[in-house]
Amino acid sequence: MKLLTTLLTTVVFAGSAIAGPISTKNPKGPVMAPPPPSCDCFGPGLTTLGVFGGVIFPQSADDDSGGGGVLAEYFFTENIGIQGSYGVYATNSEHHQFDGSLVLRAPIRSLCIAPYALVGGGYSTNSNNNGTWHAGGGIDVRLDSWNCAGVFADGIYYWSDDSDHTIVRLGVKIPF
C-alpha cells in the first residue's frame, strides 16, 4: 500500500511540474457575448404620421360600424408625446371623431415594441355635437430594418354628456 501511495503522489507532483505554473491570466481575454439587439425607433423628437382602420362600439350594441382615419404624433422624450387624430365611422349618420391625446409609452428596445397609454379630449359629431374625454392603451411595434415604420393596435374608451363609446384601431405608422 505504501508503494501505491508513493507512486500516485509522484505522478501527481510530476504532472503538475510538467504543466507549469498555474496562471489566472487568459491570453485571449474573456469572451464577451454580443450586446442584445437594440432598436432606435422610439427616440425623442420623432414625428410620425399614420393611417388606421377601426371599429366603433357605441352604447347601443346594434350600431357598431367600421371606419378609419389618420393621425400625427410627436414625442418630446422617449416616453412622453402628443397625438392628434381624426376618424370617421359609418354609423347610422357618420360619426366623426377629432382627438388630442397625451401619450405615455414604455419602449422595450430589445423587442422594438412600445406599450402605451393615452388620455385626452376631443370632439365628435353624429347627428349631434359633443365634447368628449377619452382614455386607452395599445402597443406600437416598429421594424428597425424598415426605417422604423411599424404597426399599432389600440383601444380607446370615450365618454361625454350624451353617450359613451369605444373605438378599436389597427394601423401603420411612418416616422419622418
Side-chain angles (χ1 to χ4, degrees), residues 39 42 106-115 139-142:
C39 152
F42 299 107
I108 303 169
R109 291 181 171 273
S110 61
L111 300 175
C112 213
I113 63 173
I139 190 156
D140 192 354
V141 179
R142 299 294 176 93

Side-chain angles (χ1 to χ4, degrees), residues 20 24 60 70 107-108 115:
T24 58
S60 59
V70 295
I108 303 169

Side-chain angles (χ1 to χ4, degrees), residues 39-43 46 105 109 112 142-145 147-149:
C39 152
D40 291 327
C41 296
F42 299 107
L46 187 65
R105 68 180 177 192
R109 291 181 171 273
C112 213
R142 299 294 176 93
L143 303 170
D144 202 16
S145 60
N147 294 328
C148 295

